[in-house]
Amino acid sequence: MTAPEPAPREPLRIGNASGFYGDRADALTEMLTGGPLDVLTGDYLAELTMLILGRARLKDPARGYARTFLRQLETGLGLARDRGVTLVTNAGGLNPAALADAVRELSERVGVPARVAHVEGDDLLAARDWGEGVLTANAYLGGAGISACLRAGADVVVTGRVADASLVSGCAAAHFGWADDDWDRLAGAVVAGHVLECGTQATGGNYAFFVRDGIDVRHPGFPLAELAEDGSAVLTKHPGTGGAVTVGTVTAQLLYETAGPRYPGPDVTARLDSVRLVQAGTDRVRIEGVRGEPRPESLKVGLTRLGGYRNEVTFVLTGLDVPAKADLVREQLEAALSRPGVRRPAQVDWSLARTDRADAAAEEEASALLRLVVRDPEESAVGRAVSGPAIELALASYPGFHVTAPPARGAPYGVFEAAYTDAGSVPHVAVLPDGTRLDVSFPAARRQPPASPDDGGQSGPPDDASQPAPSTSTSTEDPSSEVPPPGAPATRRAPLGLVAGARSGDKGGSANIGVWAYGADPDLYAWLRESLTTDRLRVLLPEVRELSVTRHEFRNLAALNFVIDGILGDGVAAQHRFDPQAKALGEWLRARHLDIPEVFLP
């Protein structure tokens, strides 16, 4: 007689209580008391965070982790143990062993027994020569170490730099007993993890259509996923919490900080073009159909270093003759910085933001901002050597002269770079609650290469492949000059954001803008796909005119994704532009006007 198939395991209820270092402090308590959970994760790390932790470790080698997590555990640890919820977090940053020890000490102090484990091996700073000035070098590990700790009975698992989504895939693999090559199931968990990792961005936070959809985002609840054994998941939130979980909010987060159809990670390569979203009830979105492929041979390594020093002065230009006022103060300060015996900063950038408007009823509304940013390897070249001459102009420049801040010294800035290393060369060690060290590094003989780690291996070229910027005459063409063909539907000049949502973000020096058709309307998506080309994007966003732009299509999501290389310079810590993480780049695009068929307009 054939043995009956084992009954499927109950879904894993896994939540998130932190999307970044500095997120809502009471979220951990809210998630533990708001409803049933099996696991609660917390994501504390980002490119900028690693630089911050690196500087903290320079001052004190015992530091280098997110200390806010410990403060949250003062009450959160007892709540978690009372409710049987396991805590998994990457708050260990550069020093997961030290944070694990601190959690044990807290456990004893508050009288709540907890089995604590941690994962290490990601810190590669001492493993090789990464070049001059590198402060941190951390590989993005997968979920194997987390799985090993959970199988050993850990109540709290602390990691360093693991891939954000691996906080979820590691838990799921342990819960369901998945094999290393259960690609589709792992991919489903990675997609769910990607939606969860940024916390309330999945429940209406930063959502383009919060007004049109009537979503109350004053205090959105944090998300959770009901993850099934087959890798599918239902995204939801605790009852009675703010915000909303809709196909739109989940689509927005799926597109955040991604590139093409393949989403490569240390556990699996998830096919984002296979994802299907279904509204399965109020505040319930089902993620299904996710396909996976083998993980890459390489692991991403995040490198941070101090890039030098920067300073800025912002001049306020009020009322009439704003361009002339800007020209005057710029010429005066440039002359001061070029005097004999004065060392001019290595990089000097000016930008004029015309925030003013005519006949304004408030002085602030009548004012524009002229911003000077300087950078140099030496602090002396950007400190009082810049702000001093700027202030000396106070009585000898344009009428109404004033600046937004007093003279300041130069401040250090950082640079982020991504490197790649053979996955088999990176140690991955789970330190279990009893202190046993378990090597879970993936054997080289079992690895299978799919594509390059930067998503260059899709089958065939991207939907609108990266190419050199078009000539000036092409990229500056006014889209309003287009003449519609005979019989074309009537159009109206209007903001793109009336019919399309967008979410943008940073990856090193590059940025992405995910754009989707409102309501996933197939006809609207067809128009969007035809109209929003890379050339059109360069017209709408002149700032990207000379940069490499790649477009990818996600038909199941009725979405396009644009990857813009180099727009952020050396990354967020370098503060290369006004919006250093490109968080509002998508909203700028939505505010641009073009001719939209009236049938799609609200």
Side-chain angles (χ1 to χ4, degrees):
M1 176 179 285
T2 304
E5 290 288 329
R9 299 203 61 177
E10 289 295 314
L12 179 69
R13 292 179 60 89
I14 183 165
N16 170 282
S18 176
F20 66 99
Y21 192 11
D23 209 344
R24 216 159 73 204
D26 56 2
L28 189 138
T29 298
E30 289 179 9
M31 288 300 289
L32 289 172
T33 58
L37 284 175
D38 301 307
V39 180
L40 183 58
T41 64
D43 180 9
Y44 291 77
L45 302 184
E47 294 167 0
L48 180 60
T49 313
M50 301 303 282
L51 179 70
I52 294 170
L53 296 178
R55 293 181 63 191
R57 186 173 63 176
L58 279 179
K59 298 177 182 178
D60 181 356
R63 292 171 61 181
Y65 57 80
R67 293 189 291 175
T68 53
F69 177 67
L70 281 177
R71 292 198 288 271
Q72 291 173 301
L73 284 192
E74 292 282 348
T75 57
L77 184 60
L79 291 172
R81 298 314 318 127
D82 288 345
R83 289 159 173 75
V85 178
T86 302
L87 303 176
V88 179
T89 178
N90 62 16
L94 302 177
N95 205 343
L99 179 55
D101 286 340
V103 173
R104 293 185 187 97
E105 293 171 5
L106 182 145
S107 170
E108 293 181 6
R109 177 165 53 81
V110 300
V112 178
R115 294 163 292 183
V116 183
H118 74 274
V119 179
E120 58 187 43
D122 61 295
D123 193 341
L124 303 181
L125 183 61
R128 68 193 69 179
D129 181 10
W130 295 102
E132 184 178 356
V134 172
L135 188 61
T136 66
N138 294 80
Y140 288 67
L141 299 179
I146 296 170
S147 295
C149 293
L150 294 176
R151 287 194 296 267
D155 302 313
V156 180
V157 180
V158 173
T159 79
R161 178 72 277 188
V162 299
D164 299 342
S166 292
L167 294 172
V168 172
S169 59
C171 295
H175 180 75
F176 295 115
W178 292 340
D180 287 337
D181 58 357
D182 275 335
W183 306 124
D184 290 348
R185 293 172 174 177
L186 286 167
V190 162
V191 168
H194 177 57
V195 176
L196 291 178
E197 70 187 49
C198 288
T200 53
Q201 278 198 165
T203 59
N206 302 348
Y207 181 54
F209 293 113
F210 79 99
V211 174
R212 182 170 177 177
D213 290 353
I215 299 176
D216 183 354
V217 292
R218 288 175 293 180
H219 194 83
F222 274 69
L224 64 96
E226 298 168 357
L227 191 60
E229 191 168 7
D230 64 358
S232 64
V234 172
L235 264 294
T236 184
K237 61 187 183 69
H238 284 323
T241 56
V245 180
T246 69
V247 168
T249 67
V250 174
T251 296
Q253 177 55 27
L254 274 175
L255 294 170
Y256 182 64
E257 294 183 345
T258 59
R262 284 183 168 86
Y263 188 66
D267 296 309
V268 65
T269 297
R271 292 296 304 241
L272 297 182
D273 55 351
S274 66
V275 177
R276 296 194 301 271
L277 302 179
V278 179
Q279 194 75 45
T282 302
D283 293 325
R284 295 179 64 81
V285 172
R286 182 175 177 81
I287 301 176
E288 59 188 18
V290 185
R291 301 300 302 273
E293 297 173 349
R295 73 194 87 191
E297 281 191 332
S298 300
L299 286 183
K300 179 180 176 181
V301 182
L303 308 176
T304 66
R305 58 181 171 84
L306 295 178
Y309 295 84
R310 71 182 297 279
N311 201 356
E312 65 177 80
V313 180
T314 302
F315 301 89
V316 182
L317 315 174
T318 304
L320 305 178
D321 303 321
V322 166
K325 291 172 180 175
D327 289 344
L328 172 60
V329 72
R330 179 172 177 170
E331 289 175 10
Q332 288 176 308
L333 197 50
E334 287 282 0
L337 296 178
S338 303
R339 289 175 298 176
V342 174
R343 183 183 166 206
R344 180 183 172 85
Q347 185 177 348
V348 178
D349 295 312
W350 294 86
S351 61
L352 175 61
R354 294 300 304 265
T355 52
D356 57 306
R357 66 182 187 183
D359 195 22
E363 181 179 337
E364 186 173 1
E365 295 174 356
S367 301
L369 300 176
L370 177 65
R371 185 167 174 250
L372 166 66
V373 177
V374 293
R375 295 180 179 84
D376 196 90
E378 301 295 330
E379 187 206 358
S380 59
V382 299
R384 292 301 180 109
V386 173
S387 58
I391 296 303
E392 290 172 3
L393 296 175
L395 304 181
S397 188
Y398 61 87
F401 180 103
H402 67 285
V403 295
T404 58
R409 299 177 59 185
Y413 72 89
V415 172
F416 176 87
E417 301 172 43
Y420 293 89
T421 191
D422 182 77
S425 69
V426 177
H428 192 169
V429 178
V431 184
L432 307 182
D434 64 0
T436 300
R437 299 179 63 84
L438 182 63
D439 185 353
V440 295
S441 305
F442 196 64
R446 292 171 57 194
R447 286 182 280 117
Q448 303 175 50
S452 76
D454 268 331
D455 192 58
Q458 60 248 34
S459 53
D463 303 298
D464 191 352
S466 177
Q467 54 189 314
S471 64
T472 303
S473 61
T474 301
S475 63
T476 57
E477 180 184 358
D478 184 353
S480 65
S481 66
E482 297 175 359
V483 178
T491 63
R492 175 157 49 94
R493 193 119 178 116
L496 176 63
L498 293 182
V499 298
R503 178 163 287 168
S504 54
D506 63 312
K507 276 297 181 185
S510 299
N512 86 295
I513 309 176
V515 184
W516 71 93
Y518 181 76
D521 183 313
D523 294 330
L524 174 56
Y525 173 60
W527 172 82
L528 191 68
R529 181 171 174 263
E530 179 181 355
S531 301
L532 198 57
T533 62
T534 56
D535 284 350
R536 177 61 62 82
L537 187 80
R538 290 188 176 98
V539 171
L540 296 173
L541 305 183
E543 191 176 337
V544 310
R545 184 177 302 152
E546 304 302 325
L547 300 176
S548 171
V549 180
T550 307
R551 190 184 87 163
H552 303 278
E553 296 182 11
F554 296 91
R555 291 173 175 83
N556 287 355
L557 302 176
L560 306 172
N561 195 32
F562 295 87
V563 179
I564 305 166
D565 293 328
I567 189 171
L568 302 180
D570 290 324
V572 54
Q575 298 188 46
H576 177 73
R577 62 190 297 272
F578 169 70
D579 174 18
Q581 289 182 280
K583 298 295 187 184
L585 194 60
E587 287 301 293
W588 178 26
L589 176 63
R590 294 183 68 236
R592 294 307 310 267
H593 289 220
L594 65 167
D595 296 324
I596 301 172
E598 290 185 348
V599 67
F600 299 135
L601 290 169

